[in-house]
Amino acid sequence: MAHAHEHVDVLIVGAGLSGIGAACHLQTDCSGKTYAILEARETSGGTWDLFRYPGIRSDSDMFTLGYAFKPWTEERAVADGPSILGYIRETAREHGVERHIRYGRRVVRASWSSTEGRWRVEAERTDTGERELLTCSFLYGCTGYYRYDEGYSPSFDGMDTFNGQIIHPQHWPENLDYAGKRVVVIGSGATAVTLVPAMADTAAHVTMLQRTPTYIVSLPGRDPIAQLLGKFLPQRLLYPIVRWKNVLLSMVSYQVSRKKPHVMKNLIRKGLQRQLPEGFDIDKHFKPPYDPWDQRMCVVPDGDLFDAIKKDSVDIVTDQIDCFTETGIKLRSGKELAADIIITATGLNMLAIGGLALTVDDKPVVLSETVGYKGMMFSGVPNLAAAIGYTNASWTLKCDLVIQYVTRLLAHMDANGFKQVTPRWTDPELPSTPFVDLKSGYVLRSVEDFPKQASREPWRLYQNYVRDLVMLRHRPLVDEALEFTSPAMQRSGERVPA
Ligand SMILES: Cc1cc2nc3c(=O)[nH]c(=O)nc-3n(C[C@H](O)[C@H](O)[C@H](O)COP(=O)(O)OP(=O)(O)OC[C@H]3O[C@@H](n4cnc5c(N)ncnc54)[C@H](O)[C@@H]3O)c2cc1C
């Protein structure tokens, strides 16, 4: 049953890393605005609370995954999940964000009315199933990019015959006892390369079973420059310096990967040769059939995966699964892997804007028929932005820029009396380029449900922090693609040149 509802200026959906960061920015940069955060789960932290598998950690450095406004002060730059969660919650506490969060509210629908100049938002209470209504002037999606209820698990023949446990890392059982057990981890992505070294010392044997290799690079778990500068500089100076150093390094590495893939392939191979045992078959296990950054590259801190592979109790198998058996996995090569526990580190199911059903003036929005504006708003959808981070660098770098842009946008609208801002794609043809240009399996499986991007600014997603910094922070807000209106003008059908 729908209840009487309240109105907030900005409604944030999601209390993860980006929702809490957004709330802090809103409080600082738009202090007069009212806001609330609706969060489907009973706790904050999103990804960093959901994932509980052994060794859970970032694969970016915390100097760039952390917020620009709150220095990361721990020693480890590649940090474990609980430390990241602690950092997010500490930020929320320090900025008084916690009291704005309403837990157990899954936002299911949002309807924009141009006559009222506001969104009607419907949230489902996860305890009672009751619907709650709220209105807001601006909707900000901080919902991450994947389904929380279900990770991606391909089905294999014979799965139901296996006598041991099959576990997806997104649903890790609280007290899983894997001591002395034979474990097979299926996958070659960030989760698999984290799990293997983390389980190696406790399990009897761990096999990483992959169909296709991934590019894997080792980075220092502790940033040597940060450690050196830390001897002379206070945190408030050290943090931005190391942040910028890491931004630039990751940009250079990405650009080299895209423009001179053979150079990057050589560098990665040399690193592998240094860290793997003599005679290890690098071509078979660590030479992907694609170029670096066609798919996300994996980082291992201090080469922990390679150290694990040197142990007798760990191996890596590159093969295809024929079927599961009662005792393990039969491979296409005919080999069999005995297992007590099989972990399907096979990925996520992507989901755009938390699965919200959107309508604009009673017309349903089909996201795949929209074009992303500056990688954060969508053509034809007024007063809505989404925190969508980088795929080739730390998520937060982009989200910080987006929320700062949103606060500028809100201030501009207030100053000029506008109630509605809508990106307008005016070409008769919709571009065909997908919003996310990675060719990873989890992207290809669902990219068709995401918006499109075009080949030029402001409709292109550059995945380039410096470029975005200039575009989102320093360029004028008003451009040909943004339409500013107010309800009175809307009624008379007038378009307002801003
Ligand atoms: C295992 C793992 C490791 C990662 N490591 C890195 C890394 O090292 N570096 C990096 O840059 N990125 C990494 N990522 C990506 C990571 O998700 C982001 O860095 C970051 O945590 C995203 O924060 P977020 O707040 O945008 O989304 P999330 O952390 O996904 O939080 C979204 C929140 O929104 C809530 N929500 C979603 N839909 C709704 C709805 N309809 N109604 C109400 N609430 C809703 C969810 O419950 C959740 O609390 C990793 C992801 C995973 C899964």
Side-chain angles (χ1 to χ4, degrees):
M1 193 185 71
H3 275 202
H5 53 271
E6 64 172 298
H7 179 82
V8 288
D9 294 324
V10 181
L11 184 68
I12 298 173
V13 186
L17 183 64
S18 47
I20 285 174
C24 297
H25 278 288
L26 263 181
Q27 289 182 178
T28 317
D29 304 341
C30 294
S31 55
K33 295 264 176 231
T34 55
Y35 81 91
I37 306 181
L38 297 189
E39 167 54 56
R41 304 178 71 234
E42 294 301 329
T43 49
S44 61
T47 298
W48 302 105
D49 180 70
L50 177 74
F51 281 84
R52 306 279 176 98
Y53 58 75
I56 169 75
R57 58 163 171 81
S58 66
D59 54 8
S60 345
D61 68 279
M62 288 306 297
F63 292 93
T64 54
L65 189 60
Y67 306 114
F69 60 84
K70 180 172 166 65
W72 174 257
T73 54
E74 290 191 26
E75 219 186 316
R76 287 198 69 82
V78 174
D80 61 82
S83 306
I84 301 174
L85 185 61
Y87 169 86
I88 297 172
R89 290 188 178 157
E90 186 177 271
T91 309
R93 267 196 312 279
E94 284 172 0
H95 288 76
V97 170
E98 197 51 49
R99 65 176 182 275
H100 296 267
I101 308 176
R102 298 170 199 182
Y103 291 107
R105 266 78 174 171
R106 180 187 316 286
V107 179
V108 286
R109 195 179 309 283
S111 314
W112 173 261
S113 157
S114 296
T115 17
E116 290 170 19
R118 53 178 55 183
W119 286 99
R120 271 168 82 87
V121 178
E122 215 174 301
E124 183 184 273
R125 282 187 64 141
T126 51
D127 53 354
T128 60
E130 227 179 326
R131 295 285 165 115
E132 288 182 352
L133 270 183
L134 221 79
T135 58
C136 67
S137 307
F138 199 95
L139 188 58
Y140 191 49
C142 294
T143 54
Y145 61 98
Y146 61 88
R147 270 175 68 168
Y148 267 65
D149 57 342
E150 207 174 59
Y152 176 66
S153 300
S155 87
F156 298 103
D157 283 349
M159 267 178 130
D160 50 349
T161 62
F162 178 57
N163 284 332
Q165 281 175 285
I166 301 175
I167 288 159
H168 192 285
Q170 192 166 329
H171 312 281
W172 198 266
E174 202 175 329
N175 294 312
L176 179 73
D177 179 14
Y178 56 93
K181 305 256 173 81
R182 294 161 303 172
V183 179
V184 174
V185 180
I186 303 174
S188 59
T191 303
V193 302
T194 302
L195 276 167
V196 171
M199 298 178 83
D201 288 337
T202 310
H205 192 274
V206 183
T207 304
M208 177 168 142
L209 170 60
Q210 58 176 11
R211 186 174 50 186
T212 317
T214 301
Y215 287 106
I216 301 182
V217 289
S218 170
L219 288 183
R222 292 175 175 75
D223 188 309
I225 306 277
Q227 295 210 297
L228 180 70
L229 292 180
K231 294 186 178 143
F232 324 95
L233 294 178
Q235 280 295 340
R236 93 197 129 73
L237 293 180
L238 177 134
Y239 188 62
I241 293 173
V242 180
R243 190 174 164 91
W244 266 108
K245 186 258 304 171
N246 290 354
V247 163
L248 296 175
L249 270 181
S250 74
M251 280 178 61
V252 169
S253 133
Y254 181 76
Q255 292 305 330
V256 172
S257 299
R258 301 316 286 160
K259 296 196 170 128
K260 304 245 182 254
H262 60 283
V263 173
M264 188 49 78
K265 284 183 192 177
N266 268 335
L267 279 173
I268 295 173
R269 193 181 180 88
K270 289 214 169 87
L272 291 167
Q273 279 164 342
R274 259 197 320 274
Q275 296 181 77
L276 285 163
E278 184 89 21
F280 186 89
D281 194 345
I282 293 179
D283 282 343
K284 182 161 186 197
H285 302 303
F286 289 114
K287 189 178 169 199
Y290 52 82
D291 282 340
W293 280 113
D294 277 353
Q295 298 189 17
R296 226 184 132 103
M297 224 188 261
C298 278
V299 167
V300 292
D302 304 313
D304 62 359
L305 177 72
F306 308 128
D307 288 342
I309 286 173
K310 288 177 197 150
K311 297 176 185 160
D312 289 340
S313 59
V314 172
D315 60 6
I316 174 163
V317 172
T318 305
D319 205 325
Q320 289 199 43
I321 296 175
D322 181 31
C323 62
F324 281 36
T325 63
E326 284 181 17
T327 53
I329 296 178
K330 185 161 169 266
L331 300 171
R332 292 258 169 96
S333 63
K335 196 174 161 188
E336 293 206 24
L337 300 175
D340 303 305
I341 300 176
I342 296 175
I343 299 168
T344 51
T346 40
L348 306 160
N349 286 310
M350 290 218 324
L351 183 67
I353 328 185
L356 258 78
L358 298 173
T359 61
V360 172
D361 297 327
D362 298 325
K363 205 167 159 254
V365 173
V366 181
L367 266 189
S368 58
E369 292 171 8
T370 68
V371 189
Y373 173 83
K374 296 187 173 171
M376 47 160 269
M377 294 174 82
F378 308 104
S379 58
V381 184
N383 294 30
L384 178 145
I388 304 168
Y390 294 121
T391 50
N392 64 350
S394 283
W395 189 261
T396 316
L397 288 172
K398 175 75 182 283
C399 296
D400 270 1
L401 291 179
V402 171
I403 185 61
Q404 285 171 317
Y405 177 89
V406 167
T407 59
R408 275 176 74 204
L409 198 59
L410 295 175
H412 174 81
M413 290 168 74
D414 284 350
N416 294 280
F418 297 126
K419 293 273 182 270
Q420 177 168 339
V421 55
T422 318
R424 294 282 181 208
W425 174 261
T426 49
D427 287 7
E429 292 235 341
L430 204 64
S432 58
T433 311
F435 195 64
V436 186
D437 61 358
L438 282 178
K439 296 189 177 61
S440 309
Y442 72 96
V443 174
L444 296 180
R445 278 196 299 277
S446 42
V447 77
E448 285 306 316
D449 301 333
F450 278 67
K452 302 287 183 285
Q453 61 167 315
S455 55
R456 56 175 204 282
E457 231 177 81
W459 301 103
R460 180 158 170 207
L461 195 68
Y462 283 98
Q463 302 274 8
N464 179 315
Y465 179 68
V466 172
R467 211 171 172 142
D468 284 341
L469 180 77
V470 173
M471 177 172 76
L472 293 171
R473 199 179 288 171
H474 301 294
R475 292 254 170 84
L477 276 171
V478 176
D479 66 24
E480 280 189 352
L482 271 195
E483 181 188 271
F484 289 91
T485 45
S486 60
M489 295 154 178
Q490 206 78 36
R491 274 193 290 277
S492 65
E494 186 184 348
R495 184 193 150 136
V496 181

